[in-house]
Amino acid sequence: QSALTQPPSASGSPGQSVTISCTGTSSDVGSYNYVSWYQQHPGKAPKLMIYEVNKRPSGVPDRFSGSKSGNTASLTVSGLQAEDEADYYCSSYAGSNPWVFGGGTKLTVL
Amino acid sequence: EVQLVQSGAEVKKPGESLKISCKGSEYSFNSYWIGWVRQMPGKGLEWMGIIYPGDSDTRYSPSIQGQVTISADKSISIAYLQWSSLKASDTAMYYCARLLGYCTGTSCYGAFDMWGQGTMVTVSS
């Protein structure tokens, strides 16, 4: 059982927007702004897409955005493209365990 | 190119020992924390531990503590993850990753901004 809860799957058509949620508790997501999101294509290493809730590393398209409300963080992908199809993992600081991850969401571009 | 390059895939028997490596290049390796993340087949990501190569300060996940040893040789910009006695349940892909953040005396903060390509470890009799 993962510490953070993500939907197992999400989907959208090219050009549409899709939002992936990441639900934690007041001990992790709800109390700290250290939420990050990773993209992982099959057979590849994870790639950092969002850190500190809503910051994008250099090189990440601005189609990717992050937000947080209460105990739930969200990743929104706007203007979906075929190459966005991947697994997405959220992560949050959780005190004694600096990095807890969600179970992952498989994003399908229809 | 700024990168982390990991050692190759390993196939081991239960009870054997193993040490895998992660070499940093084209950046100040000794000045960034390096973490290790496990991904079991078909599963999600799990943080195992982290080390600061500059002084070998090391932290472990409570669930991993005692099962592995993390070390580093700053003179050659390499971090290591090792097992003294492998189990079948250690079968997984192992990633090293650079921390965009910091650790204090009590905890660590940040995200992993650069990842190695992964080392697949298979433990089977």
Side-chain angles (χ1 to χ4, degrees):
Chain A
Q1 184 177 356
S2 301
L4 306 177
T5 300
Q6 297 182 235
S9 64
S11 64
S13 299
Q16 288 186 332
S17 292
V18 64
T19 297
I20 299 171
S21 63
C22 171
T23 302
T25 69
S26 58
S27 298
D28 40 61
V29 175
S31 291
Y32 305 99
N33 288 325
Y34 285 105
V35 176
S36 51
W37 290 89
Y38 299 87
Q39 176 192 67
Q40 187 178 34
H41 287 108
K44 300 294 187 182
K47 174 186 176 183
L48 179 64
M49 305 302 284
I50 296 287
Y51 66 101
E52 292 178 15
V53 177
N54 56 16
K55 298 179 181 178
R56 273 189 313 276
S58 173
V60 173
D62 60 6
R63 303 185 293 103
F64 291 85
S65 62
S67 63
K68 189 184 83 167
S69 178
N71 297 337
T72 298
S74 298
L75 173 72
T76 298
V77 186
S78 306
L80 268 177
Q81 298 182 5
E83 60 261 35
D84 299 334
E85 184 162 297
D87 293 327
Y88 290 84
Y89 294 92
C90 64
S91 177
S92 174
Y93 176 82
S96 60
N97 192 344
W99 295 280
V100 290
F101 289 91
T105 297
K106 182 176 179 62
L107 174 61
T108 300
V109 180
L110 301 170
Chain B
E1 179 185 358
V2 177
Q3 61 183 344
L4 294 170
V5 178
Q6 297 184 229
S7 50
E10 302 275 1
V11 179
K12 292 288 190 179
K13 291 181 170 24
E16 292 186 332
S17 62
L18 176 64
K19 191 174 190 177
I20 62 175
S21 66
C22 168
K23 182 174 174 59
S25 58
E26 301 300 324
Y27 78 96
S28 182
F29 184 79
N30 296 341
S31 301
Y32 288 82
W33 291 82
I34 293 289
W36 287 93
V37 176
R38 177 171 71 183
Q39 187 169 36
M40 292 179 171
K43 302 298 184 182
L45 305 172
E46 179 184 12
W47 174 68
M48 300 177 70
I50 195 166
I51 188 166
Y52 189 75
D55 62 6
S56 291
D57 184 0
T58 308
R59 321 288 174 88
Y60 294 94
S61 163
S63 62
I64 298 294
Q65 180 89 42
Q67 298 179 36
V68 298
T69 301
I70 293 171
S71 60
D73 186 338
K74 65 180 182 180
S75 68
I76 54 174
S77 301
I78 295 181
Y80 300 98
L81 176 65
Q82 69 179 88
W83 296 258
S84 59
S85 181
L86 287 160
K87 304 186 289 288
S89 57
D90 292 318
T91 294
M93 181 71 83
Y94 293 87
Y95 294 102
C96 64
R98 187 180 74 174
L99 178 64
L100 175 65
Y102 61 98
C103 295
T104 66
T106 55
S107 196
C108 298
Y109 308 87
F112 296 106
D113 70 339
M114 181 170 63
W115 293 64
Q117 82 278 19
T119 296
M120 183 66 206
V121 174
T122 302
V123 184
S124 174
S125 55

